[in-house]
Amino acid sequence: MEEIKDNPLEVEANSVRDSIKRNGALVYKNVIKLDVINDFMEDFVSFSETLKDAPSKSREREPISGYRKFNIGSFGEFGEFPRFFRTTYLPFWLPSLEFSEQIFKPILRLRNHLAGLPDDYVNGIDQRRGLWSACRVQQYFVGGGFFSEHKDIVIKKISQDIEIETIQLVLLLSSKGIDFDEGGAFIRTEVGGLIDLESAAKSGDIIAYDGSSSHGVAPIDPHKTLKIDLSSGRFAALASVYKILK
């Protein structure tokens, strides 16, 4: 798997796509400094303490808001994908969530660069296009948090509807071997093998992959007792384009 240590915005999108096609994924190294991530995580935990966990199938009255929910279960509108993690939505353009801007803005810029779009494309809410950037943090719990092997069907459908070519980006906010010992993100190659993505990536790196490939998160430290607190386990930030639901 290729590692990119240069400025991500100075690397041609086509070369990135070619590398992902050959290797399944690539890693942008040291995109966000560790002190920035540490400061963010402190603010994130403090903000999280003001929230309550919503049910997995809940839909907020104001979906574009800071809220948190469990992702648990198997069956859904698009198939059976067993999973167990927590998602916190952090639209950084809201005054109470400005602390998260320094985490999500680099993801948005890189997402748009790879898609050949303007730097400010859906940089928050775009009412004219009916789109928003779903800036969120996923927490996979110590004691077995996981996401079974799947393909990003919803994001692929949205990308096709709005006619953009999307590369999935995941900013790691934790490191395997430090914050957890076993499990983490993986991707299946075209010949059927599995690549352990987090053996080659750490906190501050961005993993880039094709969402239409088979991928998932292997159980996090299943040998330990389950902990669903707000600060332990595997953490990752994402910023996909979603449609504004009416």
Side-chain angles (χ1 to χ4, degrees), residues 6-208:
D6 299 324
N7 182 337
L9 301 181
E10 295 179 354
V11 180
E12 289 189 2
N14 286 339
S15 68
V16 171
R17 292 182 181 280
D18 289 343
S19 178
I20 291 174
K21 189 172 183 179
R22 290 194 309 270
N23 304 307
L26 64 73
V27 179
Y28 293 95
K29 300 296 292 182
N30 304 312
V31 179
I32 307 293
K33 294 181 179 179
L34 289 181
D35 60 340
V36 173
I37 290 178
N38 291 337
D39 289 345
F40 164 76
M41 290 302 295
E42 287 185 13
D43 290 336
F44 172 72
V45 171
S46 295
F47 172 71
S48 296
E49 289 172 346
T50 70
L51 303 176
K52 294 183 179 179
D53 286 303
S56 184
K57 281 194 171 183
S58 67
R59 178 177 169 185
E60 297 294 294
R61 292 182 180 179
E62 297 292 338
I64 305 176
S65 62
Y67 75 99
R68 185 175 79 218
K69 71 172 186 174
F70 285 118
N71 296 86
I72 305 173
S74 296
F75 293 95
E77 180 181 355
F78 298 98
E80 182 179 359
F81 306 110
R83 55 190 176 171
F84 179 38
F85 58 94
R86 173 190 272 146
T87 300
T88 304
Y89 290 88
L90 297 169
F92 62 82
W93 51 92
L94 299 181
S96 61
L97 299 174
E98 290 176 344
F99 69 88
S100 62
E101 181 175 355
Q102 58 192 340
I103 293 295
F104 291 108
K105 275 288 189 72
I107 304 175
L108 297 180
R109 285 194 291 266
L110 181 54
R111 179 197 72 191
N112 292 341
H113 169 69
L114 292 174
L117 296 167
D119 187 62
D120 61 352
Y121 179 82
V122 193
N123 193 2
I125 302 176
D126 189 328
Q127 295 287 357
R128 183 176 64 84
R129 292 186 173 93
L131 304 171
W132 69 292
S133 287
C135 298
R136 61 202 188 277
V137 169
Q138 293 179 344
Q139 178 190 10
Y140 291 80
F141 310 109
V142 165
F146 75 101
F147 199 161
S148 62
E149 189 170 330
H150 65 285
K151 298 181 179 181
D152 294 332
I153 298 173
V154 176
I155 294 173
K156 180 179 180 181
K157 184 179 186 309
I158 293 172
S159 298
Q160 290 173 339
D161 289 347
I162 62 179
E163 298 181 338
I164 65 172
E165 198 169 357
T166 301
I167 292 293
Q168 279 289 74
L169 302 174
V170 178
L171 168 63
L172 297 183
L173 302 172
S174 56
S175 296
K176 188 172 184 176
I178 297 176
D179 301 294
F180 61 94
D181 300 318
E182 293 185 19
F186 66 86
I187 194 164
R188 187 172 295 281
T189 66
E190 292 184 355
V191 296
L194 291 181
I195 300 174
D196 175 1
L197 298 175
E198 291 185 66
S199 289
K202 59 178 179 59
S203 182
D205 296 345
I206 291 181
I207 298 172

